[in-house]
Amino acid sequence: EDQVTQSPEALRLQEGESSSLNCSYTVSGLRGLFWYRQDPGKGPEFLFTLYSAGEEKEKERLKATLTKKESFLHITAPKPEDSATYLCAVRDYGQNFVFGPGTRLSVLP
Amino acid sequence: DAGVTQSPTHLIKTRGQQVTLRCSPKSGHDTVSWYQQALGQGPQFIFQYYEEEERQRGNFPDRFSGHQFPNYSSELNVNALLLGDSALYLCASSPGQGGTQYFGPGTRLLVL
């Protein structure tokens, strides 16, 4: 059975203090690892898709990386508007889509 | 370009009632998936519709059913509501079953 865990559960950063979020997974044939951002009471917003180990993608202050067992979302010099819950999800060869529980990020001014 | 839309935004029902939630996919998308998200948790997959048929289903009872229309829009029906069905219900659309999923704003369901 596919499993996705995320750590830490919650993270509090000062503005400008860089850090990384972790997503660990076990999956029967990875067909994609996805990162989403979710603001309270809203639907998840797509950020990145990664398909193979060694792949990296960047968008503004965010950079996602992938290994065979985990993915990292690096946040460089975060701003208060980066505060949100960051969700990781995997898709397997059976097209099953499984989400992790998320990391709640708070960036303080 | 309109994104994924869902209606209604909020809904209050009582135990035992039935509810229908609606979703219109992003333009160009033909596949719709439904998720249930309890407070503080990640979304849980309910089922996926493609070509008007249920293609995959998560671990949800058959009280949860759905439909996809020829214009790719979709409905989620929940019968015999339980208190535990209170959650944010999310619809996601994608270009094909293997495409990246884009989410709507969700419908907040409260069962009293």
Side-chain angles (χ1 to χ4, degrees):
Chain A
E1 182 178 328
D2 300 342
Q3 286 193 327
V4 179
T5 59
Q6 292 187 245
S7 61
E9 183 176 325
L11 180 63
R12 183 173 291 188
L13 300 173
Q14 289 296 133
E15 184 172 3
E17 180 187 0
S18 302
S19 188
S20 296
L21 313 183
N22 176 266
C23 170
S24 295
Y25 62 90
T26 56
V27 64
S28 56
L30 182 69
R31 289 293 299 274
L33 184 138
F34 304 81
W35 282 98
Y36 290 84
R37 168 198 170 122
Q38 186 174 28
D39 292 306
K42 297 188 177 181
E45 175 189 345
F46 171 71
L47 294 174
F48 304 110
T49 306
L50 302 167
Y51 291 103
S52 56
E55 189 174 358
E56 299 182 351
K57 295 237 177 117
E58 287 189 67
K59 178 181 179 181
E60 296 180 356
R61 295 177 293 282
L62 300 176
K63 178 180 177 179
T65 62
L66 180 65
T67 72
K68 288 187 177 180
K69 293 185 177 181
E70 57 190 352
S71 176
F72 292 93
L73 185 64
H74 307 278
I75 303 177
T76 302
K79 298 181 178 181
E81 53 262 42
D82 295 323
S83 297
T85 295
Y86 290 85
L87 296 164
C88 168
V90 296
R91 171 180 281 134
D92 64 20
Y93 274 120
Q95 304 292 2
N96 296 301
F97 207 78
V98 177
F99 275 89
T103 292
R104 293 191 312 277
L105 174 66
S106 299
V107 182
L108 307 177
Chain B
D1 176 24
V4 180
T5 59
Q6 293 186 242
S7 64
T9 55
H10 296 82
L11 206 50
I12 299 175
K13 292 285 187 179
T14 56
R15 282 181 298 172
Q17 285 190 311
Q18 178 264 345
V19 68
T20 298
L21 310 182
R22 295 176 176 81
C23 171
S24 291
K26 185 177 169 69
S27 178
H29 289 186
D30 57 6
T31 302
V32 172
S33 302
W34 287 92
Y35 293 82
Q36 180 194 67
Q37 187 176 26
L39 205 59
Q41 298 183 20
Q44 299 293 312
F45 174 70
I46 302 175
F47 43 54
Q48 183 183 74
Y49 276 84
Y50 172 69
E51 293 186 335
E52 302 180 48
E53 290 190 12
E54 183 183 298
R55 299 294 178 168
Q56 293 187 70
R57 189 179 184 91
N59 189 25
F60 279 80
D62 57 11
R63 297 187 298 110
F64 290 76
S65 63
H67 189 77
Q68 186 179 35
F69 299 93
N71 67 352
Y72 308 125
S73 66
S74 178
E75 289 182 349
L76 164 65
N77 301 292
V78 187
N79 294 322
L81 284 167
L82 304 175
L83 297 180
D85 294 332
S86 295
L88 180 68
Y89 286 85
L90 295 163
C91 168
S93 73
S94 58
Q97 292 179 271
T100 295
Q101 297 189 0
Y102 292 83
F103 284 81
T107 293
R108 173 72 63 186
L109 173 65
L110 177 62
V111 182
L112 301 176

